[in-house]
Amino acid sequence: MSTAPAPLPGDSPGDVVVDWYASAARDLPWRQPGVDAWAVLVSEVMLQQTPVARVEPAWRAWLARWPSPADLAAAPTGEVIRAWGKLGYPRRAMRLQAAAAAIATDHGNVVPSDVATLESLPGIGTYTARAVACFGYGQRQPVVDTNVRRVVARLVHGRAEALPARATDLADVEALAPADHDRAVRFSVAVMELGALVCVARTPRCGSCPVRTVCAWRLAGSPAHDGPPRRVQRFAGTDRQVRGRLLDVLRGTTEPVEAAQLDAVWSDPVQRSRCLDSLLSDGLVVQTDDDRFALPS
DNA sequence: AAATCGTGGCT
DNA sequence: TAGCCAAGATT
């Protein structure tokens, strides 16, 4: 073994990231003291694939209207879909309402604090469950999202890009977390924030990175990504675009609409009807007795 | 387990 | 401009 000095306990990369967070973190509303686990849960679901800037106003309005799970559970689903607005992936809104109903009826209207129980709720997967347990309940939990996987890929593994999600991700992050409980809890938000603000995907700002001197990727000379390029999803012309247009029509009215009004949003009748069918089967749209279409009641 | 599910800002 | 990218979950 070499005689290189062991890093001081308080100066581990995890500690450095926690200290960096104290001065660099964004002032996001769901991070305010007093924000309860329900509000955290709502923020996490909204933030699944939707940028922070678009979530903020929707989150405030949502919680003003439905301050507890039971409130959301009691709302007409159509109103829930309308309130979701253009956050995207509207099935998340339905799943959030379904999760709220389960919380209200099975958990006394209290968001579960146990990761396994959280994961059993609709729309809550491994990331969101841990995020709620950690951010909402102050538990020491590894929280691994796309930001964290990218930071770990670079800092620990010396790779330019994140590997696809793996079972070892949680262990990688746990290994970085400070020993102290409270600092470990803050570390979970802090690594995410580092990935969101500094260790970003396209043009990492290594010059202002608090752990640049110990980053395996930098130390290796910032090698380019070698694995297979991950292909980004096309959007124009896809069913996703068509579904979005169809739903946008229904969001804009309270009165059910004739099929002809929906025909206007997409010229290909085959794709259009396929998409309408999929919205119906998702429960995002319903057909009335007189064969018009509307958001569910 | 790869494909699918919205939307809009940024480069 | 057209692709890249954003706190994933589900099947």
Side-chain angles (χ1 to χ4, degrees), chain A residues 40-41 44 48 111-120 123-145 148 166-167 169-171 173-174 184-185 188-189 192:
Chain A
V40 170
L41 172 53
E44 291 303 336
Q48 292 168 358
V111 173
S113 58
D114 171 67
V115 170
T117 308
L118 284 162
E119 277 191 79
S120 73
I124 304 204
T126 151
Y127 162 76
T128 306
R130 289 189 152 74
V132 170
C134 182
F135 309 152
Y137 287 111
Q139 290 176 28
R140 174 181 186 127
Q141 292 286 171
V143 179
V144 179
D145 73 333
V148 175
R166 298 175 304 165
D169 290 339
L170 290 177
V173 177
E174 279 186 300
V185 173
S188 288
V189 227
M192 281 180 58

Side-chain angles (χ1 to χ4, degrees), chain A residues 20 40 67 70 188 196 203 221 224 232 269 294:
Chain A
W20 166 84
V40 170
S188 288
T203 315
V232 303

Side-chain angles (χ1 to χ4, degrees), chain A residues 21 108 128 134 171 238 240 268 276:
Chain A
Y21 181 81
T128 306
C134 182
T238 63
R240 266 170 26 258
D268 176 358
L276 184 53

Side-chain angles (χ1 to χ4, degrees), chain A residues 68-193:
Chain A
S68 88
D71 299 316
L72 181 64
T77 300
E79 285 308 297
V80 175
I81 295 167
R82 227 184 295 277
W84 193 257
K86 308 202 92 173
L87 292 179
Y89 295 141
R91 292 187 298 188
R92 286 183 292 164
M94 296 200 68
R95 290 176 183 148
L96 181 55
Q97 189 183 32
I103 293 167
T105 64
D106 302 339
H107 303 285
N109 207 28
V110 176
V111 173
S113 58
D114 171 67
V115 170
T117 308
L118 284 162
E119 277 191 79
S120 73
L121 297 171
I124 304 204
T126 151
Y127 162 76
T128 306
R130 289 189 152 74
V132 170
C134 182
F135 309 152
Y137 287 111
Q139 290 176 28
R140 174 181 186 127
Q141 292 286 171
V143 179
V144 179
D145 73 333
T146 178
N147 290 306
V148 175
R149 289 211 317 283
R150 187 173 54 247
V151 171
V152 169
R154 289 174 181 159
L155 178 62
V156 178
H157 300 300
R159 305 178 55 87
E161 291 182 21
L163 299 163
R166 298 175 304 165
T168 53
D169 290 339
L170 290 177
D172 282 346
V173 177
E174 279 186 300
L176 284 173
D180 177 76
H181 177 91
D182 292 333
R183 291 179 69 80
V185 173
R186 269 178 291 150
F187 172 76
S188 288
V189 227
V191 230
M192 281 180 58
E193 192 75 341

